[in-house]
Amino acid sequence: KAGVTQTPRYLIKTRGQQVTLSCSPISGHRSVSWYQQTPGQGLQFLFEYFSETQRNKGNFPGRFSGRQFSNSRSEMNVSTLELGDSALYLCASSLQTTDTQYFGPGTRLTVL
Amino acid sequence: GQNIDQPTEMTATEGAIVQINCTYQTSGFNGLFWYQQHAGEAPTFLSYNVLDGLEEKGRFSSFLSRSKGYSYLLLKELQMKDSASYLCAVRDRLTGGGNKLTFGTGTQLKVEL
């Protein structure tokens, strides 16, 4: 069974731009969570989706948004990029929200 | 909210045993996970505990004491490839429904010859 896939793997943007990241969960998994990982803060929870509904949201500004489609694929969007948004963005999927999360390889975003 | 503490760094010798501790404070504990993350890679799932006691999986074991808010990951017969960051994560049951997974900052383990 294929694992979680994320595209693109690497991205370079400039301040003020916006970016969309994509995540395809493991087949059959309906829950998708997004995390931001930086050296100083570690893994920070962004949001969780289940059956196209956002179930939980972390403490991030409104510039960070996401959605989930009927096939469980998910996208996250960051608008008006700031230098501090440079990070590894990880997506994780699970069967249900209470099950073990399995991570994708991540998207490395660099904001110049 | 949650507070998860684990040591920042540890060093151990190949073939030895190492124990990585994790303490946490949470209001709606609903499970504890350990993940391994090699540099530049995604975290990979190692173990899950929701009841008190020891869970063993080959060279890896994880222990949980809910009353003490304490867990440890035990790695036996250390190999060089075990050099990685080990993340403790606590799942919290939210009052409004749903669950939230919060990660510690990770313990960087270095295995030396």
Side-chain angles (χ1 to χ4, degrees):
Chain A
K1 190 183 270 191
V4 179
T5 58
Q6 291 186 246
T7 55
R9 293 292 311 279
Y10 301 92
L11 207 49
I12 299 176
K13 293 285 188 178
T14 56
R15 279 180 298 172
Q17 288 186 309
Q18 68 95 28
V19 67
T20 299
L21 311 181
S22 180
C23 170
S24 292
I26 293 170
S27 178
H29 284 196
R30 298 170 63 192
S31 178
V32 173
S33 296
W34 288 89
Y35 298 86
Q36 180 195 67
Q37 187 173 35
T38 58
Q41 297 295 317
L43 266 161
Q44 301 287 310
F45 171 73
L46 280 157
F47 21 66
E48 176 187 52
Y49 287 88
F50 181 78
S51 293
E52 302 178 67
T53 301
Q54 186 180 90
R55 299 295 297 269
N56 293 302
K57 192 176 191 307
N59 295 325
F60 279 82
R63 300 184 297 106
F64 292 81
S65 63
R67 59 178 175 169
Q68 187 180 33
F69 302 96
S70 58
N71 62 357
S72 295
R73 190 177 69 85
S74 178
E75 289 181 347
M76 68 162 281
N77 185 277
V78 187
S79 62
T80 320
L81 284 166
E82 301 178 359
L83 295 178
D85 297 333
S86 294
L88 179 67
Y89 290 87
L90 291 160
C91 159
S93 77
S94 58
L95 279 167
Q96 304 284 337
T97 60
T98 54
D99 292 311
T100 299
Q101 294 185 7
Y102 296 91
F103 284 84
T107 295
R108 173 76 60 186
L109 172 66
T110 302
V111 182
L112 302 175
Chain B
Q2 286 191 353
N3 189 29
I4 301 174
D5 288 313
Q6 47 181 134
T8 304
E9 295 179 340
M10 297 183 73
T11 302
T13 305
E14 189 179 37
I17 298 173
V18 71
Q19 178 175 312
I20 302 174
N21 296 323
C22 172
T23 58
Y24 63 89
Q25 293 173 311
T26 182
S27 53
F29 179 82
N30 194 22
L32 186 144
F33 298 80
W34 284 96
Y35 284 83
Q36 179 193 60
Q37 187 176 26
H38 285 99
E41 297 182 12
T44 55
F45 169 71
L46 288 178
S47 70
Y48 167 66
N49 296 72
V50 66
L51 300 176
D52 291 350
L54 189 68
E55 293 284 338
E56 297 187 80
K57 261 188 183 182
R59 295 190 299 114
F60 295 77
S61 302
S62 57
F63 172 83
L64 175 68
S65 169
R66 289 171 296 171
S67 63
K68 295 182 179 178
Y70 168 69
S71 173
Y72 68 72
L73 179 69
L74 195 70
L75 291 77
K76 304 175 188 175
E77 302 169 15
L78 280 172
Q79 301 174 10
M80 298 299 289
K81 67 178 182 179
D82 296 330
S83 293
S85 180
Y86 291 85
L87 305 168
C88 171
V90 175
R91 186 169 61 201
D92 217 0
R93 189 181 298 108
L94 302 177
T95 52
N99 293 267
K100 179 181 175 184
L101 194 62
T102 301
F103 284 81
T105 52
T107 298
Q108 187 65 47
L109 174 66
K110 182 178 180 183
V111 181
E112 298 178 329
L113 290 171

